Amino acid sequence: MHCVPVDRRSFVIGAAIAPACAAQRGGARAASTAGDVPYYELDVALADEASALIVRGTVTLPASLSRRDTLTIALADTAADVRIWTSEDGEAGADLPLVRNEDGVGDLRRWRVALPAGREPPERLSFSLRLEQRSGLLFALARDAVFVSAAAFAWYPQVVDENDIRLLGVGVLSYRLGDLTVVSSGQRLGSTADDRVYFRAQTPNYFAFAAGRYLAPAGRPEHSRVWLLQSRPSTAQFGARIELVLRALEREFGPLPDRRLDLVEAPTEAARAAGFDGASLDGFMLLIGDYFEQPFNTAFFAHEAAHQWWGGSVRRRGLPGAYLMDESLAQYGSLRAVEALEGEDAARSYRRTGYPGYYTEYSAFWYLARSLAGIDAPLAEFHAADDFTARRVANSKAMFVWDMLSRVLGRRRFAAFLSSFASEHAYQRVSLDVFMQSLRSVAGADAWFIDQWFTRVGAPSFSFAWRHDGRNVTLNLAQAPPYYRARLPVRICGVAGQSAQVHVEIMYAEAQAQVAFPHAVAAVELDPDYTVLRWTEPMRARAVALLPYTRGDILLNQGNAAAAEGAFREALEQALPEGGELRFQLLRGLGDATSSTRPQEAVAFYRQSLSAAPALHEALPEVWRSLGDAFRAQGDMAGHAEAAAGQRAAILALHTRRAR
Ligand SMILES: [Zn+2]
């Protein structure tokens, strides 16, 4: 479906808001409910001195679910005083019986509602409920901070279809949360005299909101804004940067319905109790303060923003396609945004070793290093149950593979494909089969690429040689099975600064090319910008040397901290060169293995690791961040601030090195 542009001038702001919403409701539904979406009117209020959240409202059922005997809804187990009745009967009508479904997750509990006979569409149900719990997944209820997302926590009755899928909703949301400022899914319409704030969600959503004592944000409301709980001068450019990120992503994925994405601070303790440091919700991102204390992290924000398309609007149907259709495309968006905002050099170093201050493991090197220790999977066959392998491979190899495919097909053609796919399947669930079929059909004669890169593990390793006879340079490329087809650029540099660029295409064991170059040759480089994912000799030597760390880190990620600690200690007992990378990584590993249970020891390990670190190592910002977390775990906020400053300096140093 196509997104209808919103003319914000047509909104009536102020006391007349409620009638204006009602008047526009028909239009809004026509624009956004082509996909058969329930329409909500929600009223959210705090009660009993912010110890309870009262949710009242109505839902108009989609035509496909009308005239049934029963309706399935999702609603958190902890919802109290739940009442549902038919709107026709009004408040005085009898409550409809609710039957609890025993299986399923508590926060997304399914209930069956028995519907009375003889109703006429459109069918509308009214409901009211009360939430008193303090925290849950993507949920917090405290005096100074309230947030919740229906993506993980059914805080209002979510209509469930015959395939047990919770439907997205559209509608009007209103909030009365005392003196807290509300950021919500949808567009803010205005407020009424009784301090009720209205939002209209006209694109389908799992409704989410955050409320807190936010400072007035800079920037115009039609642009992305930054909502902070305390003044942070370092964020002055964040609003402008996220706008640039969104425009870069729109060039790859097509228009974002609201065209903006607010960044909203969440108190760290509340966020961690709710299971996140950063969460990309419908219409805004919720982040702990740490993200605002560091330089704007283009890779991180672009990844999270890209989830508005992949995982937010286009959602996967069934388990196959997990991580490929959401994580890896979000990560590809991140790479493209870094190239758009910071240039080709920044993108090259992101592909090779990661983006400064983001996860270095999201890079070719760390994909290759872990593949040596058995962490690998074909991109089209990720197992949702193995989150560690699937997420790491999706965010490293798959990111790179999408980038290669877009070079093979042409940047514009690939962007046109992703944009039309995202538009055709907006607010729908799509199976992996449908996705792969579309991909194969756009690849056409290049479908070999899909077989080669999506259905097997590993990466190629090419050997390269050249000779110069005074007139011509002859290039020889060779590989051992399994063969990869690839077209690799080669750059030839002459001693007086002459240069030539050619491509060598290889399909099987060998390929040769010849290029006229009647100058003295200074250097011949294969794929100098590392555009094809492959092993190089230095990468292999480094990955082999780091294996003791890589193996321990995998144990840690698989939840076996004790075994990981043992592996790191054992490796450290070997004679290791001072200033070498392995020693640095092993000490860092010991910090990671002890941070949740013995944060004091972790601080000591991280400090040793930092003093053993090779200069400008790409993982330095992460070690500083981990050190900060270990300080925080002990309540040492001065230590945390010191580590945040170290992290910031390390990020800036890595950016500066790259810029040279
Ligand atoms: Zn993600």
Side-chain angles (χ1 to χ4, degrees), residues 539-568:
M539 281 172 136
R540 190 179 294 276
R542 184 182 169 203
V544 169
L546 287 175
L547 260 175
Y549 165 74
T550 309
R551 291 205 182 101
D553 183 55
I554 290 168
L555 287 170
L556 185 59
N557 277 288
Q558 289 168 341
N560 200 340
E565 186 180 344
F568 293 136

Side-chain angles (χ1 to χ4, degrees), residues 303-304 307 327 391:
H303 174 108
E304 297 300 331
H307 275 310
E327 274 309 295
R391 183 179 298 277

Side-chain angles (χ1 to χ4, degrees), residues 303-304 307 310 326-328 330-331 358 362 391 395:
H303 174 108
E304 297 300 331
H307 275 310
W310 308 107
D326 31 53
E327 274 309 295
S328 81
Q331 187 61 11
Y358 193 40
Y362 297 169
R391 183 179 298 277
N395 281 327

Side-chain angles (χ1 to χ4, degrees), residues 269-280:
E269 268 180 42
R272 294 222 161 133
F276 68 91
D277 277 4
S280 187

